[in-house]
Amino acid sequence: MKTRFILYPLLVAACLATACGGDDEKALVLPGPDTATPDPYVMKLSNSTFEDGLTDWVVDSDAAGKSAIVEVVEKEGVDGSKCLKVQQYAENGKCYAGVKRTITGLKADAMYRLSARVKYSDIAAGCGACVYPQSAKQYWNCSKFTSGTHTDWTTLTCDFMTDDNGSAVICCSLGFWQGGRANGGKSTGTAYFDNVTVREVTDELYMRESKHIRLFLDPSKVAASNDTVDKWLANLDKIYEAYADLVGGTPHEGRKLAIVSTEAREYWAVAGYPIIWVVDYVESTLKDVQDKDDWCFGLMHEIGHVFNIGNASWDWNDEMFANFRMHYGLEAANGKTMQTPAGESQPRIYQGAEIRDFYKGYLYETKNGSKVMSDNGIHWELVNLTTYPVDGHEMGWEPFKKAFAALNSDLVSIPSGGFEKFKTLVNTVQKYAREIYDRDDIDLMSYYSEDTLADIKKKMDEYR
């Protein structure tokens, strides 16, 4: 496995400034056109200080953001220079509005850091003032979220991976372009941006590489030895290969998955290329990896999302199916994950097929005072079909593999309605079970009692 772990003086300064926060961040000096010794890792970015107005930038917004003020103002920037101002009054509604540009000439599929000096006021909700890349492969990557008022200049950063052609779309905005609450959300208020910088940081991050995964982390959060991280990544490789075996393919043209730490705050991790992992959780997770041989439920879950490939019209709830793929991976690789059993307060390690016991403990939940089947219950009821008796042994996973390949390849007509989709999946599994075992009498729906089937239908009627 490969490792890169080099700290340049600028990175040290950036880490110290971020750790101090608040007004102390004014000590951070970003490289720019007036830097005495040019930083070879900083790309040349025209009009990065907005001294030429909006030249080389394009105004970008959603519908609500059409009413926002997006302009370059005099004497409001760093040291009394010009800067970008974005303002949306509360009465005009939450929005995202700002500027963006496409940059080229970067290294392909490499890690860069987008930085900007920012100050803001009267931001009540949402992502606030932010910088981010717009990418169809990773919608949710963004700098840490801001709210309230901060009238001193601070620095926002966002690490991102370039496209195959060495390009990226970078943005400075009030509010986040994807808008969902869990991923930042839209905002009102006023934000100022200055001194935008793009810098290659591939060699400044803690980087480990395995057969299927590249890991890029904030070095200060790595609470495990290289040997431990390498062993963990090798275990995640096994999970990756199990997912590919289950669904009949690999994501992102088969390239290695990238996992990158981020300063964003509103989630634990988010799937995509790369998978972004909130830096607040890196240190504690790696301690569990080292001390408890935990393979990490959260990242196995996100990798499970990445394997939602091909036709997804049959997939009524990918949160559940990401766990379902992980479930198969744990059984196939005899993997380990730490979870808290139902009715208990302390987590424990589940290994391999023991994960069935975990999901069996969460079959039902209480909603509006009534006990109803949960998504975990649907998960378990599907997995339970692998125990269907055929010729004195259990049916196993092979019919599921063929069913997922057929469903993902548009070979099955997908109806509307959650329960109809459930039946379509079960009937497709049944079709291949009959073929594999040459038994026309296999009837998987009959494996459920009438009461269980009624509970499944009630839950599945929540989905379209």
Side-chain angles (χ1 to χ4, degrees), residues 21-22 25 116-120 144 150 152-156:
E25 289 183 321
R117 298 291 276 170
V118 178
K119 62 182 180 180
Y120 48 88
K144 66 181 180 181
H150 191 98
D152 293 313
W153 288 102
T154 186
T155 302
L156 292 181

Side-chain angles (χ1 to χ4, degrees), residues 202-347:
T202 303
D203 290 334
E204 293 184 7
L205 299 173
Y206 176 89
M207 189 274 195
R208 302 297 287 182
E209 186 172 7
S210 64
K211 183 178 180 181
H212 299 295
I213 295 170
R214 290 182 296 163
L215 186 68
F216 299 91
L217 301 178
D218 178 338
S220 69
K221 302 299 182 181
V222 179
S225 68
N226 287 344
D227 287 344
T228 295
V229 175
D230 289 347
K231 178 184 175 183
W232 175 50
L233 292 182
N235 288 332
L236 292 185
D237 283 342
K238 297 175 187 176
I239 294 295
Y240 178 103
E241 290 169 358
Y243 292 172
D245 181 46
L246 178 64
V247 306
T250 56
H252 303 310
E253 300 83 37
R255 72 183 63 196
K256 293 184 181 185
L257 300 184
I259 302 173
V260 181
S261 61
T262 177
E263 290 190 346
R265 293 291 186 268
E266 291 293 313
Y267 43 79
W268 195 93
V270 179
Y273 187 78
I275 294 170
I276 51 177
W277 184 15
V278 174
V279 73
D280 290 353
Y281 304 105
V282 171
E283 184 172 5
S284 60
T285 298
L286 291 182
K287 284 182 178 178
D288 286 338
V289 168
Q290 180 154 288
D291 298 342
K292 302 174 183 178
D293 196 20
D294 179 17
W295 292 20
C296 184
F297 184 103
L299 287 179
M300 288 189 290
H301 171 88
E302 298 306 331
I303 296 172
H305 275 305
V306 175
F307 274 84
N308 181 13
I309 56 178
N311 173 33
S313 63
W314 63 273
D315 183 342
W316 61 83
N317 179 1
D318 202 55
E319 290 300 317
M320 187 203 78
F321 277 111
N323 286 342
F324 189 88
R325 297 174 195 115
M326 178 182 64
H327 185 129
Y328 172 74
L330 289 169
E331 292 201 12
N334 198 31
K336 298 180 181 180
T337 188
M338 189 164 60
Q339 288 292 292
T340 302
E344 300 184 21
S345 59
Q346 296 300 316

Side-chain angles (χ1 to χ4, degrees), residues 11 39 41 48 53 68 107 138 165 191 195 207 209 213 242 268 278 290 295 307 316 339 362 371 387 404-405:
L11 179 66
D39 186 334
Y41 293 93
S48 61
K107 292 182 180 179
Q138 178 47 269
N165 60 2
N195 293 2
M207 189 274 195
E209 186 172 7
I213 295 170
W268 195 93
V278 174
Q290 180 154 288
W295 292 20
F307 274 84
W316 61 83
Q339 288 292 292
Y362 288 94
K371 185 179 178 181
T387 66
F404 285 145

